[in-house]
Amino acid sequence: MPFSLLKYGLRARHASFRDIPLTPELKRSYDVVVIGGGGHGLAAAYYLSNVHGIRNIAVLEKGYLAGGNTARNTTTIRSNYMTEESIRFYKEGVELFETMSRDLGFNVMFSQRGQLTLAHSEATLRSFHLRAEMGKHVGTRIEVVDVQTVKELCPHLNLDLGGQHEVIGGLWHADGGTARHDAVAWGYAKHASERGVEIHQRTEVTGFERAGDRVTHIKTNRGTTAAGQVLQAVGGLNGQVAAMAGIKLPIRCFPLQAMVTQPLKPFLHILVSSANLHTYLVQSSRGEVVIGGGSDPYQLASTRSTLDQKEHLAEGALHLFPFLHKVKLLRQWAGITDMTPDYSPIMGASPLQNYWLDCGWGTWGFKATPVAGKRMAETIASGRVPDVLRPFDLRRFDSFALLNEMGATAASH
Amino acid sequence: MKLLTCPVNGPRNITEFQYLGPVCAASAEQPEQLIESLFYAENPLGVMREWWRHTPSNTVFVAERHTVSDQILATYLPSRKPA
Ligand SMILES: Cc1cc2nc3c(=O)[nH]c(=O)nc-3n(C[C@H](O)[C@H](O)[C@H](O)COP(=O)(O)OP(=O)(O)OC[C@H]3O[C@@H](n4cnc5c(N)ncnc54)[C@H](O)[C@@H]3O)c2cc1C
């Protein structure tokens, strides 16, 4: 142990510090107000303050810091999408995760262990070839693998030979990985507040004052404040908050559920998912097996869980790994997701001059936390939407320029 | 088990039903409402009218359901909308 550390430890008086300061009083005005203190809003605040030198920023969060979908997701990080535009964008996101712990000086436990999606039919395998070729074209690590390779990558997997869900191959995405979701949000929050960004918890945006095509004031349960520029990133309720500003978004709320088992010895060294079974699994660094799947079957803006969905997840998990049958569940939960018609996000300008959208993240937005934050900050600081974000413009629905990513994985995300 | 009342077959497990989405105010028949009807579906926090299908009997009907509490308030055949 270095001597200085010992000396520090034995010192009677420690200067105490908080990573994230207590919520201050709301000021009368800010250069930028970020609505939503999830990963996306915090990442944007981080880039605005640390890269673009904008310090007079407030992040308004109605609950506690990053307690929305940032706290509820299953942390799959990947770039194996279908369209060139999406792959390019998500690839940048994966690359930012690769250096995040070092960049933030905060351990986000990024583990780039690769993702394997299983094919149980020739049709699925054909679609995997398309995705692999598009991914290679954009420069990501992705390939179609045979059953022998599947076995080597995941020796404990039930291949169901001769059965209804026989595994005939897979899509191997070596860039895929996982990270600790809370740490990502806290890391951004810490460095943003060091540069003067105010994080207001328990501060709910309840309305807007507008003058022409600009938002002038933001009303909250803790008072009203003026804003130069506004970024909206409120997760599941993006449709409702935009409506308060008079903006209509093509978004519908659906719950997405997940669960984790008790901790087990490490046995699953990759992320694995199955399109047929609508299930995916990853073992966390604590040994818990995280199990996720498809969305709830009907629209709902609630975080209640259902036995039907949980049974479905358990069924898929047991099919892939039958030896899990006596394992106990430790936690289960749901989040409200803001689903778009084409399973792609809405980023960039809104019909208002100073109101920017980082919305429609549905069931797939955790992986984009760093890249969306970085690019939205650039947009707000420069007033210009960068090329990589342009395909995600809200107006794509008016011109039928959709970015279809439905079915870009086992479940909808 | 959550129950949904089919106007023809009575209360059944909701897993017997297929969700067909909100009753859309905009009409795909009107050119100026096409985009609205395709992409901008209803998404209120409150009571919503929506299409459901009882799969075994292929009965398509309307339900009024609260999108926050998940309470189902009424179900009826489209031809017999209650007053
Ligand atoms: C079960 C589940 C599994 C998922 N798995 C994955 C995955 O494996 N990989 C992946 O990439 N994505 C996944 N996602 C999606 C991902 O979680 C989200 O897309 C992402 O976290 C969105 O981040 P955000 O910061 O935009 O939103 P959030 O983290 O939801 O933050 C938005 C914040 O806005 C606040 N807010 C809402 N209304 C107001 C208001 N009026 N005023 C002030 N604040 C307000 C909320 O309280 C919330 O904290 C999953 C989602 C769920 C639910």
Side-chain angles (χ1 to χ4, degrees):
Chain A
M1 186 167 47
F3 182 64
S4 59
L5 185 60
L6 186 66
K7 224 171 95 185
Y8 177 79
L10 293 175
R11 214 166 46 200
R13 268 202 227 176
H14 295 270
S16 73
F17 75 97
R18 303 178 64 101
D19 277 344
I20 296 146
L22 293 172
T23 297
E25 288 298 311
L26 205 58
K27 287 198 300 203
R28 286 178 48 194
S29 87
Y30 296 93
D31 294 339
V32 180
V33 170
V34 177
I35 311 175
H40 280 245
L42 294 166
Y46 163 81
Y47 280 102
L48 282 167
S49 54
N50 281 255
V51 175
H52 300 284
I54 300 174
R55 305 284 178 91
N56 186 22
I57 300 175
V59 178
L60 309 181
E61 165 54 52
K62 91 171 172 188
Y64 59 91
L65 194 74
N69 288 348
T70 299
R72 296 159 198 271
N73 76 88
T74 49
T75 68
T76 303
I77 296 163
R78 59 188 184 86
S79 57
N80 53 356
Y81 281 80
M82 303 198 290
T83 65
E84 191 173 344
E85 295 88 339
S86 298
I87 300 171
R88 213 172 284 289
F89 173 79
Y90 290 109
K91 174 174 182 274
E92 193 176 319
V94 173
E95 285 162 3
L96 287 168
F97 269 106
E98 287 168 359
T99 58
M100 191 184 290
S101 290
R102 226 172 319 134
D103 295 346
L104 294 176
F106 207 96
N107 189 0
V108 302
M109 296 162 103
F110 180 57
S111 160
Q112 198 160 32
R113 55 181 83 166
Q115 187 204 35
L116 177 68
T117 312
L118 303 169
H120 308 269
S121 73
E122 290 293 338
T124 309
L125 215 49
R126 270 199 298 278
S127 76
F128 282 0
H129 278 288
L130 269 176
R131 277 169 68 188
E133 291 315 309
M134 191 53 100
K136 284 179 202 161
H137 168 66
V138 182
T140 59
R141 291 186 292 165
I142 184 165
E143 60 185 314
V144 175
V145 294
D146 62 11
V147 104
Q148 187 53 39
T149 312
V150 168
K151 236 173 166 168
E152 283 161 18
L153 287 167
C154 198
H156 305 292
L157 185 75
N158 168 27
L159 294 172
D160 198 22
L161 299 176
Q164 190 195 352
H165 299 293
E166 177 163 351
V167 175
I168 63 166
L171 186 64
W172 173 241
H173 179 41
D175 292 328
T178 167
R180 188 168 168 225
H181 44 79
D182 297 324
V184 171
W186 295 340
Y188 284 132
K190 176 175 192 267
H191 289 284
S193 27
E194 279 169 6
R195 293 291 175 104
V197 172
E198 291 182 1
I199 298 172
H200 293 259
Q201 303 190 54
R202 301 209 177 280
T203 306
E204 179 172 2
V205 171
T206 54
F208 297 95
E209 280 171 28
R210 278 175 53 176
D213 57 2
R214 296 180 71 86
V215 162
T216 57
H217 292 84
I218 299 181
K219 297 184 208 160
T220 80
N221 59 334
R222 294 179 55 240
T224 297
T225 185
Q229 303 287 323
V230 184
L231 174 66
Q232 181 194 314
V234 296
L237 295 178
N238 269 317
Q240 283 72 21
V241 171
M244 292 197 285
I247 301 164
K248 198 162 181 186
L249 296 182
I251 281 177
R252 297 198 278 162
C253 297
F254 283 89
L256 181 67
Q257 307 189 28
M259 59 194 195
V260 297
T261 68
Q262 68 190 99
L264 304 172
K265 258 165 57 175
F267 71 94
L268 183 56
H269 306 296
I270 57 169
L271 295 102
V272 65
S273 65
S274 156
N276 271 34
L277 299 164
H278 300 285
T279 313
Y280 59 92
L281 293 92
V282 56
Q283 192 169 20
S284 78
S285 44
R286 280 190 295 226
E288 299 166 353
V289 182
V290 182
I291 309 170
S295 305
D296 270 34
Y298 57 87
Q299 267 170 264
L300 192 70
S302 158
T303 52
R304 65 96 177 89
S305 289
T306 61
L307 188 59
D308 285 339
Q309 281 305 100
K310 291 304 169 348
E311 269 182 349
H312 190 75
L313 293 179
E315 203 182 304
L318 289 183
H319 190 90
L320 297 173
F321 300 102
F323 59 87
L324 291 178
H325 71 286
K326 280 200 174 146
V327 169
K328 292 186 174 58
L329 289 181
L330 206 60
R331 298 186 302 279
Q332 59 80 30
W333 65 92
I336 304 171
T337 63
D338 47 333
M339 300 296 289
T340 56
D342 59 359
Y343 291 68
S344 283
I346 298 166
M347 288 182 283
S350 79
L352 302 179
Q353 286 301 317
N354 61 341
Y355 199 91
W356 306 92
L357 302 170
D358 181 19
C359 302
W361 280 110
T363 58
W364 55 84
F366 173 68
K367 65 180 72 64
T369 305
V371 60
K374 178 179 175 188
R375 294 302 197 165
M376 288 310 301
E378 181 185 337
T379 304
I380 293 168
S382 68
R384 186 185 168 276
V385 181
D387 289 344
V388 67
L389 293 193
R390 283 183 186 268
F392 301 96
D393 195 294
L394 171 60
R395 284 163 300 187
R396 73 176 181 271
F397 297 99
D398 296 338
S399 51
F400 294 96
L402 271 59
L403 272 181
N404 180 38
E405 293 298 345
M406 187 181 191
T409 186
S412 45
H413 34 99
Chain B
M1 180 167 71
K2 188 165 178 71
L3 294 177
L4 180 60
T5 303
C6 172
V8 174
N9 300 287
R12 308 293 306 173
N13 187 339
I14 199 159
T15 56
E16 284 185 21
F17 296 84
Q18 182 191 10
Y19 181 62
L20 301 175
V23 175
C24 198
S27 151
E29 314 278 302
Q30 308 286 328
E32 70 282 2
Q33 293 179 13
L34 180 64
I35 285 166
E36 177 94 7
S37 76
L38 284 176
F39 303 130
Y40 290 79
E42 271 67 2
N43 187 41
L45 298 183
V47 179
M48 176 162 81
R49 290 175 65 231
E50 53 196 14
W51 294 106
W52 284 83
R53 184 171 80 99
H54 182 240
T55 319
S57 64
N58 197 24
T59 311
V60 175
F61 60 94
V62 176
E64 290 179 6
R65 189 176 58 88
H66 197 288
T67 61
V68 179
S69 68
D70 202 17
Q71 195 188 355
I72 299 156
L73 304 158
T75 55
Y76 45 85
L77 292 172
S79 53
R80 299 205 205 128
K81 186 176 186 272

